[in-house]
Structures are given as C-alpha cells and as structure tokens.
Amino acid sequence: GSPGAGKGTQAKRIAARYGIPQISTGDLLRENVQRSTELGVQARDVMARGELVSDSLVCDMVKDRLRQQDCERGFILDGFPRTPAQAGWLDAFLEHEFFDKSRAGKCRPIVILIDVDYNQLLLRLTGRRTCLANGHIYNVHFQPPREDEVCDLDGSKLVIRNDDREEVIRERLTAYEQQTRPVAEYYHHQGRLFAVNGSLPVDTVTDEVFREIESHVGTA
C-alpha cells in the first residue's frame, strides 16, 4: 500500500493476532548499522556517500533475519519487497530454504494490498499534526484537536512534519506509483494479490485483512 494507507497499523495487529514477528526493513537497517555488523558497516559506508542501499544488501539483512527461530511459524514483512527484483529474490529464498519440505503443500506468501483513493491519502497525510512535546498525532480532517493547533493532552503546539507537507507527499506518492506499484502487479500476475479497501474504518479493514489471511493459509 501507498504512504498513509495504514500498513503499519494493520501489520501490528496481524503480528499480535498470530504471534509472529513484524519485520521492518527500516528497523533492520538501523539495527545493523547501530550494532556495526558486517552488513551494517557496508550500509553505513554507502549512506555516508549519499547513495541508496543496494537490493543485495537489503536482501542479505532480510535473509539473516528470516533464519532466526521466531520466524519458523511465519512473519509479516513491512517495507519489503519494494521492487519486483526484491519480490523475485524473496520467492527464490523461501522456495529454497524456508518451506518445510516434508509438507505436501506449501504456504506461499499472502500479499495484501491496502487500497486507498489518492485524494483520501492526501487528506490523511496533509491533515496530520504532531504534538511537539510527546508526539501525539491528530488529523485536522478526521481527528482534530479540541483547540486549533493545540494538543488536547498536554497543551503543546501541534506542527506539520516536513514529511507531511503537500509537496513532499506528492513526491512520495509519485515514487510509490513508479517504484512499488510494480510489486503489486508482480503478485497480481501470480494470482497471489488480495486487495482490501483501506478507506473503510480501521477495525473493518482489520477484519477484512484477517479474513483474507485465514482463507488462504495452507494454500499452495
């Protein structure tokens, strides 16, 4: 799903319901850099040059994480795969060493697209206001504070983060369409993409997500 679609919220609910880890490539990258692992040192050098971390580095970090014991029952990927190349790598990796070879059937990745109208995304993102003191989040369109630009909880000023400015958001949405939407097409062509309407209330979206997961678990 695009920025503002609600992926993070749904990912946390999936992880809690099924007792599986939520694996964020952003968190993985930060953790490897902070721990100065071999991969982290390579990534830090790349970022210090102002370059993007390569697919191969990201995939190696994901591979190491998926080999940990808590992933044996399953996992949810957040922020990966972002490109068709990464999606192809993931399929090959899972086919080669993740699936239990003793089972007749193989549970292939379940891919859920949280679909939200472009104008709705703009309202969600441009309307977001963040409390300076404690990070409480409001939305002037959907969840406004009682007093304009002031946090209900601690009275501090609400601000627009740089990432939430309209010109930045339009760039982020354009980048999503150009770079990440092809991942959805990759899985659609394989018949493994299941869309839910992300414009519905959050709890309704969650129910739809769980329904899709549970109707496809155990299918090849």
Side-chain angles (χ1 to χ4, degrees):
S2 60
K7 301 184 297 296
T9 297
Q10 299 303 330
K12 287 178 175 60
R13 292 183 176 195
I14 294 168
R17 180 180 178 96
Y18 300 107
I20 57 176
Q22 175 187 353
I23 298 171
S24 159
T25 45
D27 291 345
L28 274 183
L29 181 58
R30 285 186 287 273
E31 180 186 342
N32 275 273
V33 169
Q34 288 169 1
R35 289 171 46 216
S36 294
T37 64
E38 182 180 347
L39 294 173
V41 170
Q42 293 178 49
R44 185 165 54 211
D45 291 344
V46 169
M47 291 187 292
R49 296 194 298 269
E51 300 171 4
L52 293 175
V53 177
S54 67
D55 273 2
S56 61
L57 258 179
V58 174
C59 290
D60 282 345
M61 290 181 187
V62 171
K63 177 171 62 179
D64 287 350
R65 181 66 183 87
L66 295 187
R67 285 174 170 166
Q68 294 179 24
Q69 188 173 3
D70 64 341
C71 292
E72 288 183 358
R73 291 184 56 255
F75 48 86
I76 178 164
L77 290 167
D78 179 3
F80 184 91
R82 287 191 182 276
T83 66
Q86 290 180 354
W89 174 88
L90 180 64
D91 276 348
F93 172 76
L94 295 177
E95 182 70 28
H96 183 255
E97 61 180 282
F98 191 84
F99 292 131
D100 181 355
K101 301 299 192 296
S102 67
R103 290 188 302 173
K106 297 178 179 179
C107 184
R108 305 304 302 271
I110 297 163
V111 186
I112 296 174
L113 171 66
I114 302 179
D115 211 3
V116 182
D117 175 76
Y118 183 86
N119 291 326
Q120 174 86 345
L121 289 172
L122 280 181
L123 289 176
R124 286 186 183 185
L125 294 169
T126 59
R128 190 156 54 184
R129 300 292 184 271
T130 305
C131 158
L132 274 175
N134 294 297
H136 302 125
I137 295 175
Y138 298 83
N139 188 291
V140 297
H141 305 295
F142 308 115
Q143 188 186 5
R146 289 191 295 268
E147 183 180 346
D148 192 35
E149 304 298 329
V150 176
C151 179
D152 294 347
L153 300 176
D154 53 37
S156 63
K157 181 176 176 55
L158 300 180
V159 299
I160 304 174
R161 299 184 315 175
N162 282 333
D163 279 357
D164 294 334
R165 297 188 183 280
E166 186 166 350
E167 60 273 19
V168 176
I169 289 166
R170 289 188 184 278
E171 287 182 9
R172 290 170 64 196
L173 294 176
T174 298
Y176 165 75
E177 288 295 331
Q178 293 175 346
Q179 299 168 16
T180 311
R181 175 69 72 166
V183 176
E185 294 171 358
Y186 171 92
Y187 287 117
H188 174 71
H189 291 318
Q190 297 184 1
R192 290 158 53 200
L193 183 74
F194 308 100
V196 299
N197 182 357
S199 298
L200 297 172
V202 174
D203 290 345
T204 304
V205 175
T206 301
D207 290 342
E208 290 293 320
V209 167
F210 290 163
R211 189 174 297 113
E212 288 293 355
I213 291 172
E214 290 166 12
S215 67
H216 293 94
V217 166
T219 59

